[in-house]
Amino acid sequence: MTLADVNTAPDSSPTPPVAKKVPVERTHHGDTFVDNYEWLREKENPDVVAHLNAEQAYTDAVTAGQEQLRTDIFNEIKNRTQETDLSVPSRKDGWWYYSRMVEGQSYGIQCRVKAESNGTLEDWTPPLVEPGVPVDGEEILLDGNAEAEGQPFFSLGGAAVTRDGNLYAYAVDNAGDELFTIRIKDLRTGELLSETIENAFYGLAFSPDGRTLFYVLADDSWRPHQIKTHVLGTPVESDQILYQEDDVAMWTGFGLSADRRHLMISIGCSEFSETRLLDFAAPEKGLQVLIPRSAEILYDAEPFLLDGTEKVLLTHDRDAVNSMISVVDAAEFSKPVEEQTWATVVAHDDAVRINGATVTATHMVVSLRKDTIERIQVTALEGLGTPGQSAAVEPVFDEELYTAGMGGSEYESPVIRLVYTSDFTPPRVYDYVLPAAGAEGELLLRKETPVLGGYRSEDYLATREWATASDGTLVPLSVLRRADLTRDGSAAGVVYGYGSYEVSMDPGFGVPRLSLLDRGVVFVIAHVRGGGEMGRHWYEDGKKLNKKNTFSDFVAATDWLAASGWVDPARIGAMGGSAGGLLMGAVANLAPEKYAAIVAQVPFVDALTTILDPELPLSALEWEEWGNPITDPNVYKYMKDYTPYENVRPVAYPKIAAVTSFNDTRVLYVEPAKWVQELRAVSTGSAPIVMKIEMDGGHGGASGRYEGWKTRAWDYAFLADAIGATELR
């Protein structure tokens, strides 16, 4: 099929490209599956590229009538966004760091100004910087627009500054494959150092003396597996491997401890982990293992000094499915785990999920989830883990459904940075003044993201509702709509879901979503099992051999919406991305009649094929999420019974759009490419099934904020057109 094949006369319907069938047999555990489209994996094959271009041409032809709607939604997003804007400055050592966005430019500009130090709270009050107003003493570290000029793609994968503020390391991806080029800039001269590191992964940090840069490399399957050290002024070819992880099912990364005295290497999967520490004061000791992975404990560690004693704060699941927090003398880790003494700081609670903890010089800061809501609590370090421990204090907000998370903090700072948002409250940046023991903290509002175009939060409502799953489980829903919508059963609806990796779909403001709500759409976020909204058990009840609960929960959410009295059941669409794209493929097979349209963004729809091949990007890392179908016939059978590609059946599928990117390394383009071919070949209906492919994009699509807005406008226009919600109310 060539591009010309989809160029049709104005009075005829476009014809979808038909890929040739090249049967390939795949046999596991006595079961043989014939895959007719596996040849589309040959990324360098000109026939594959021609086919993908033909798919895009077909998509363009089918959706040509949506062009004005896409333009309208794009303009609505643009007109509500203050395009010239900046972040709230964050202090690090002697500087305030922030980023600027300029109208008409797609990428951020990284900046800084010198900080004052007078030993008072005022030292931590960010300077007033205003959109479009020059700041005295401002230095530009990196202009993303200049970096992106002439490149098909641009993404900044991380940055680090030496403690003296002289050197700036940054990582750039110009392909969308999440492999980065690291460069180092001398901020005193503006010149780049001669050394350049290619094909690095996420993660950058300087040693305290600024002489060594730590970075990560991934293996051929895009699994981060090496932590390397680059000594400035030496050839990159001589860089040393500090740590290498050879277990293909383990993910490796690193960071600095809050007090920056240690490099912390984290190795783990979703079920257990291992932390190794490098003490910068005694690097000759090498990496020290805290709790070995053989103990099968899932934990995070934060080393710190308490009254001059080396301590480690542990967030762990030892006899605590929802995790708890303990504090341990560092000397205890030389003993076998069962002989160590751990003092409880935050006890286990079946109703509270502990997400993690860090420290400042005076306080422990805990991220937790209670009643589905992510929130922050702080406790004074004095007496931590003893009967004299202070009670935790939590910032109080005035909305029922919200998200409050850490926005970063300096170890010595008397404040922590919080980011607050809800479905209809634009992100707010607060500094929370850490309270003395027994006192309440103070919230200092630093910024609320402006929303233009006459936006008023009171014009919209978010409510918590509950759907009943097929096994009787109550599934939380976030139901978003205009406040003036009439409950007469005539509106359109969209159900959105994810449901994997214990990722929660927390309340959060989204400008693009307003364009659907203003067209009378009731937008439902289904907090299905496999996510983390209801604690660790909620996740475990939606993974491995419980994965089908994710799909049936989503169908139950759709049934709730159909029966809610708000919408016409014939006007419901569905949307999800990545693992949520697998969810879209699964519900399309389970209940195609319930949806007028489905948008599957970078969809993981050929999961079994992928996970059966450990050489494919990230496949082995997925075994802890889905099970290992290579070694376990029960997992193989279970997965084959739900994976979308293998379960396409002769029914009338709704309108489907698979949205993908040619350079995506997390969910390869071949998965949706094969899926849409199988859907078209088997579907008994006449609804169009299209694939939109970004040839220069990655897992997040094309780069740049304007291209991102265009992508979201495309997705929403496809749904809105299918469910008859094209006109503003």
Side-chain angles (χ1 to χ4, degrees):
M1 173 67 64
T2 66
L3 296 183
D5 294 323
V6 296
N7 291 333
T8 58
D11 59 349
S12 64
S13 297
T15 303
V18 179
K20 64 183 178 183
K21 293 183 177 181
V22 183
V24 175
E25 291 189 353
R26 185 190 73 204
T27 300
H28 288 271
H29 306 295
D31 175 75
T32 297
F33 174 72
V34 178
D35 191 338
N36 289 317
Y37 305 111
E38 178 63 12
W39 72 273
L40 290 172
R41 192 179 300 278
E42 300 167 12
K43 191 174 182 179
E44 305 301 323
N45 185 337
D47 289 344
V48 171
V49 174
H51 172 77
L52 297 177
N53 285 326
E55 284 281 16
Q56 184 60 51
Y58 172 67
T59 298
D60 291 341
V62 168
T63 63
Q66 299 166 21
E67 178 60 34
Q68 185 59 53
L69 180 57
R70 289 196 290 267
T71 299
D72 291 345
I73 294 175
F74 173 85
N75 286 332
E76 289 161 19
I77 298 170
K78 189 173 185 291
N79 293 337
R80 284 187 170 114
T81 302
Q82 182 169 297
E83 295 184 67
T84 296
D85 201 5
L86 44 84
S87 63
V88 178
S90 295
R91 180 160 181 167
K92 193 171 185 64
D93 298 314
W95 297 86
W96 289 101
Y97 293 88
Y98 56 98
S99 64
R100 288 187 178 276
M101 295 295 294
V102 177
E103 184 174 357
Q105 296 183 353
S106 294
Y107 301 98
I109 303 168
Q110 310 304 316
C111 310
R112 71 177 183 179
V113 293
K114 197 71 177 173
E116 298 295 328
S117 295
N118 301 310
T120 68
L121 182 62
E122 289 301 310
D123 292 349
W124 302 95
T125 300
L128 179 63
V129 288
E130 299 176 277
V133 178
V135 178
D136 287 342
E138 179 178 273
E139 296 182 14
I140 294 178
L141 309 179
L142 183 76
D143 184 342
N145 303 285
E147 288 282 332
E149 190 171 349
Q151 300 291 343
F153 184 92
F154 172 77
S155 177
L156 190 62
V161 185
T162 52
R163 296 190 76 165
D164 60 14
N166 291 337
L167 299 178
Y168 176 74
Y170 62 98
V172 169
D173 171 14
N174 289 133
D177 59 4
E178 297 182 89
L179 293 179
F180 299 88
T181 297
I182 299 173
R183 298 183 177 92
I184 305 169
K185 184 178 182 180
D186 189 328
L187 297 177
R188 294 164 295 189
T189 65
E191 299 296 321
L192 292 176
L193 302 190
S194 59
E195 47 253 58
T196 300
I197 300 168
E198 300 287 353
N199 297 319
F201 202 65
Y202 296 99
L204 285 175
F206 281 107
S207 60
D209 62 10
R211 297 177 182 174
T212 302
L213 180 69
F214 300 91
Y215 63 96
V216 181
L217 291 184
D219 62 16
D220 291 340
S221 65
W222 265 262
R223 177 184 68 93
H225 75 131
Q226 285 183 348
I227 311 297
K228 298 194 75 172
T229 60
H230 172 70
V231 178
L232 271 64
T234 66
V236 172
E237 294 75 20
S238 64
D239 289 358
Q240 299 296 305
I241 298 173
L242 177 63
Y243 178 76
Q244 177 168 311
E245 177 55 53
D246 293 324
D247 187 336
V248 297
M250 302 293 274
W251 186 278
T252 304
F254 74 85
L256 298 179
S257 59
D259 59 14
R260 292 188 280 179
R261 295 183 307 115
H262 292 85
L263 183 80
M264 305 186 299
I265 296 179
S266 301
I267 309 110
C269 61
S270 64
E271 299 188 349
F272 56 88
S273 58
E274 179 176 283
T275 297
R276 300 183 179 218
L277 300 183
L278 179 69
D279 186 345
F280 287 128
E284 69 279 359
K285 293 181 181 178
L287 294 172
Q288 305 294 307
V289 178
L290 293 182
I291 305 167
R293 69 190 73 182
S294 58
E296 297 190 349
I297 297 171
L298 186 64
Y299 70 99
D300 290 321
E302 184 68 67
F304 68 107
L305 285 174
L306 182 60
D307 297 329
T309 301
E310 194 75 45
K311 301 277 190 176
V312 177
L313 196 66
L314 290 179
T315 303
H316 64 90
D317 69 350
R318 186 184 186 188
D319 301 321
V321 65
N322 266 342
S323 292
M324 60 182 291
I325 299 176
S326 302
V327 64
V328 185
D329 284 352
E332 291 292 304
F333 294 107
S334 63
K335 306 173 185 176
V337 174
E338 60 274 9
E339 297 177 13
Q340 296 171 14
T341 299
W342 297 8
T344 297
V345 173
V346 178
H348 178 257
D349 187 333
D350 283 334
V352 178
R353 175 71 166 113
I354 304 297
N355 295 326
T358 187
V359 295
T360 72
T362 58
H363 286 74
M364 174 183 70
V365 184
V366 177
S367 171
L368 56 87
R369 185 177 302 279
K370 184 178 181 181
D371 299 327
T372 77
I373 300 302
E374 183 181 353
R375 55 190 75 198
I376 295 293
Q377 291 182 351
V378 299
T379 305
L381 288 183
E382 185 178 357
L384 198 69
T386 73
Q389 177 177 310
S390 300
V393 178
E394 181 176 320
V396 177
F397 301 100
D398 57 5
E399 292 183 276
E400 177 187 3
L401 302 178
Y402 65 88
T403 302
M406 280 287 287
S409 65
E410 269 281 77
Y411 179 70
E412 298 290 346
S413 174
V415 303
I416 58 172
R417 179 65 51 85
L418 299 181
V419 177
Y420 174 94
T421 185
S422 74
D423 290 307
F424 297 118
T425 300
R428 294 174 180 166
V429 176
Y430 289 99
D431 280 339
Y432 182 62
V433 181
L434 295 168
E440 296 294 323
E442 181 183 5
L443 279 171
L444 304 174
L445 179 63
R446 300 305 191 192
K447 178 182 180 180
E448 178 170 323
T449 302
V451 182
L452 310 181
Y455 172 76
R456 302 190 319 152
S457 61
E458 58 265 34
D459 290 339
Y460 305 88
L461 284 177
T463 63
R464 169 57 41 80
E465 309 292 346
W466 300 84
T468 303
S470 55
D471 62 0
T473 298
L474 294 178
V475 179
L477 312 175
S478 295
V479 181
L480 317 181
R481 59 177 174 84
R482 282 195 61 92
D484 58 3
L485 192 68
T486 303
R487 193 170 187 169
D488 61 4
S490 67
V494 169
V495 188
Y496 176 86
Y498 186 76
S500 293
Y501 305 107
E502 204 178 356
V503 172
S504 299
M505 298 292 102
D506 292 320
F509 185 77
V511 164
R513 192 169 58 211
L514 298 175
S515 291
L516 285 183
L517 301 179
D518 286 350
R519 287 171 170 80
V521 172
V522 178
F523 196 98
V524 175
I525 302 169
H527 304 289
V528 295
R529 280 174 282 186
E533 290 90 343
M534 299 283 284
R536 180 73 178 187
H537 75 90
W538 197 251
Y539 167 52
E540 293 179 344
D541 286 349
K543 67 181 291 193
K544 290 190 173 179
L545 297 181
N546 294 319
K547 190 64 205 170
K548 292 179 185 178
N549 287 333
T550 303
F551 316 138
S552 55
D553 284 0
F554 191 89
V555 173
T558 305
D559 290 340
W560 178 92
L561 180 59
S564 67
W566 288 108
V567 308
D568 178 347
R571 299 178 64 198
I572 295 177
M575 179 174 2
S578 197
L582 183 152
L583 170 60
M584 293 300 99
V587 299
N589 290 332
L590 280 173
E593 73 284 355
K594 296 181 187 291
Y595 305 98
I598 293 174
V599 172
Q601 303 154 314
V602 289
F604 191 34
V605 285
D606 193 18
L608 186 55
T609 300
T610 296
I611 297 174
L612 282 168
D613 186 352
E615 299 303 315
L616 290 176
L618 307 179
S619 290
L621 294 169
E622 302 288 351
W623 295 336
E624 297 301 332
E625 180 72 19
W626 315 93
N628 187 343
I630 299 173
T631 60
D632 191 331
N634 292 323
V635 170
Y636 175 88
K637 183 177 184 299
Y638 188 82
M639 288 192 70
K640 193 181 178 191
D641 198 42
Y642 73 70
T643 43
Y645 181 54
E646 286 90 346
N647 287 282
V648 173
R649 57 194 179 97
V651 295
Y653 283 91
K655 294 179 180 178
I656 293 177
V659 182
T660 188
S661 295
F662 191 51
N663 292 324
D664 190 346
T665 58
R666 295 178 181 263
V667 180
L668 302 186
Y669 73 88
V670 67
E671 298 202 23
K674 292 164 61 175
W675 182 52
V676 298
Q677 286 297 308
E678 187 69 12
L679 284 168
R680 291 191 197 124
V682 176
S683 177
T684 61
S686 58
I689 295 167
V690 302
M691 183 174 79
K692 178 180 181 288
I693 183 164
E694 174 57 61
M695 296 302 286
D696 291 318
H699 194 58
S703 66
R705 59 173 172 170
Y706 296 110
E707 290 303 315
W709 296 347
K710 289 176 183 177
T711 297
R712 186 54 54 87
W714 194 98
D715 296 345
Y716 281 177
F718 184 90
L719 278 177
D721 180 71
I723 60 179
T726 60
E727 300 297 326
L728 290 169
R729 292 173 55 83

